[in-house]
Amino acid sequence: MAVRVLRSAPSEHVEDLAYLMARLKGDPQAAELATDVEPAWTSLRSQIEDWDAKRHAVQESQTSLKIQNRVVDNAVRVAHGAILDALDRNRHSPKFLTFFPRGLMAVYRASYQDKLTMVRSIAETCTAESDPKILQQAELLRAAAEQMDAAFRRRSETRVAESAAYGRLQTRKIEAMNTCRWIGLHLTGLFPFNHERVRTFFRVNYCQPNSPAPEEPAAPAAVETPPAEVKLAS
């Protein structure tokens, strides 16, 4: 009897327990042990479903964050154009540099958190201007930043929940492994002289590889003997 390792997929542990339960229920001498396996099987299946739900929530929140990131980039691009128009397209104007001190691409390439900081800074700078076109950009930038911030926080929450669910799943897998070991010990007690019968209750069976046959020593290389010198009679 062998127990699956922790790194195996959760579904494999579920199949191991289901296989074990079926064999136990089908054997009148071991059927009562099946009731000790079913709780671990049920608990593991439930935790797999919970982890799957949390994992899919992370994927959903990540998709939403990427979309909001594009919305922010578009709002920044529009604000960049409006500010340039108000400054006669002079990118070297000291006033323009107060809005984009590191340039437009720096905003695009920034991490989510840094981008939020940059966008809010641009919006704050816009509120100090008298030009209505620039003032209008402040509200648009703030609205886009707020939506992205909410999406970012949502992703953080789903990641925390997924991590916790995965930790609980690992615990359930360990419980499944311990259940298999415990049942194996009891079956060995029931059938002390029939290891083959005990083995058939378990789905996992690791076979040790056969030891390679020792190599025969190589025959020594033949040494050529030079032909004997023949002396002719004089």
Side-chain angles (χ1 to χ4, degrees):
M1 188 274 290
V3 176
R4 192 173 298 279
V5 294
L6 183 61
R7 64 175 177 272
S8 298
S11 59
E12 293 297 326
H13 289 274
V14 169
E15 287 300 315
D16 290 347
L17 292 175
Y19 185 97
L20 177 57
M21 274 198 302
R23 295 303 184 276
L24 291 172
K25 290 178 180 180
D27 190 321
Q29 291 181 264
E32 63 181 11
L33 293 175
T35 57
D36 296 316
V37 179
E38 190 164 2
W41 177 72
T42 302
S43 178
L44 179 57
R45 289 182 65 197
S46 176
Q47 190 54 47
I48 289 174
E49 293 177 359
D50 179 62
W51 177 60
D52 281 341
K54 300 295 192 301
R55 183 167 53 88
H56 295 152
V58 170
Q59 295 169 349
E60 178 184 341
S61 64
Q62 179 64 38
T63 300
S64 177
L65 179 56
K66 287 181 178 179
I67 291 173
Q68 294 304 323
N69 183 59
R70 289 196 292 267
V71 170
V72 166
D73 284 348
N74 186 60
V76 170
R77 180 183 59 79
V78 172
H80 181 268
I83 294 168
L84 272 179
D85 288 342
L87 299 176
D88 298 325
R89 312 299 296 180
N90 184 2
R91 297 176 182 271
H92 302 290
S93 166
K95 180 173 285 191
F96 176 76
L97 294 176
T98 63
F99 292 97
F100 295 93
R102 295 178 177 84
L104 180 61
M105 294 307 298
V107 181
Y108 289 161
R109 294 171 179 169
S111 64
Y112 292 129
Q113 285 285 56
D114 289 343
K115 182 175 291 189
L116 285 171
T117 301
M118 290 179 177
V119 172
R120 285 167 172 159
S121 175
I122 296 169
E124 186 66 25
T125 305
C126 287
T127 60
E129 296 297 315
S130 57
D131 190 307
K133 291 182 179 180
I134 296 181
L135 283 171
Q136 182 184 15
Q137 301 309 311
E139 290 305 316
L140 296 175
L141 289 169
R142 282 173 176 164
E146 288 304 315
Q147 292 176 357
M148 180 175 167
D149 189 24
F152 183 80
R153 284 186 279 107
R154 171 60 180 160
R155 190 193 64 168
S156 297
E157 292 168 359
T158 57
R159 280 183 167 181
V160 169
E162 184 275 336
S163 180
Y166 185 74
R168 292 191 295 270
L169 177 59
Q170 293 295 86
T171 300
R172 298 293 177 270
K173 287 163 66 176
I174 291 173
E175 291 175 357
M177 293 160 59
N178 289 338
T179 297
C180 289
R181 291 191 182 99
W182 187 83
I183 294 296
L185 289 174
H186 279 263
L187 289 173
T188 301
L190 281 175
F191 314 113
F193 305 109
N194 196 341
H195 296 298
E196 182 62 23
R197 184 174 180 179
V198 172
R199 187 195 63 77
T200 61
F201 284 89
F202 297 90
R203 178 168 172 251
V204 181
N205 182 34
Y206 297 122
C207 297
Q208 294 293 333
N210 295 326
S211 301
E215 295 183 1
E216 295 183 2
V223 179
E224 295 184 1
T225 304
E229 185 178 352
V230 179
K231 293 185 178 181
L232 298 176
S234 30

